[in-house]
Amino acid sequence: MKFGIILQSNDPETAWNGVRFGVASLKKGHEVKIFLMSKGVESIKIDSGKYNVKAMFDEFADGGGVLLACGTCIKSREMDESDACPISTMNDCIDMVEWADRIITF
């Protein structure tokens, strides 16, 4: 299956579980894309010790997952684009939703 995950939270546990779901899905042979939106764009940097979201994102990328992030949300937080988290548009989010068999939100 093709899973699209929309991650809107910067809560360490919620973000970690969202990305962990993506990693587990990749390991089962599914295709997975994550779109970071709203506070979710901040999750790429979370390392709260118990919930190392940054490390989970690295595992997601190493497993072949695709990561996208809302450019408007990144810019509104005065953050920069990184290689791991390319700036995307709302049209990219729509494309992901159209591509996916299932959409999961965290």
Side-chain angles (χ1 to χ4, degrees):
M1 290 188 79
K2 297 175 185 173
F3 293 135
I5 298 171
I6 298 176
L7 179 57
Q8 302 179 81
S9 178
N10 62 358
D11 173 73
E13 185 176 14
T14 302
W16 182 77
N17 276 313
V19 182
R20 189 168 68 103
F21 178 88
V23 169
S25 298
L26 289 169
K27 288 180 179 178
K28 289 194 69 141
H30 300 289
E31 295 178 61
V32 184
K33 295 181 182 182
I34 295 177
F35 192 91
L36 304 177
M37 184 179 287
S38 305
K39 294 177 185 177
V41 299
E42 300 169 11
S43 67
I44 194 79
K45 298 179 180 183
I46 296 174
D47 178 2
S48 69
K50 185 175 183 181
Y51 302 108
N52 188 342
V53 183
K54 184 179 180 326
M56 192 62 65
F57 273 118
D58 291 342
E59 189 174 348
F60 178 76
D62 291 345
V66 175
L67 182 60
L68 306 164
C70 174
T72 302
C73 300
I74 289 173
K75 290 174 186 173
S76 72
R77 288 165 175 76
E78 298 179 1
M79 297 171 62
D80 293 323
E81 176 180 22
S82 71
D83 293 333
C85 189
I87 289 180
S88 302
T89 66
M90 193 57 66
N91 284 334
D92 295 318
C93 186
I94 293 166
D95 290 344
M96 181 188 78
V97 170
E98 292 172 343
W99 165 86
D101 295 314
R102 297 280 189 269
I103 294 294
I104 301 100
T105 60
F106 286 89

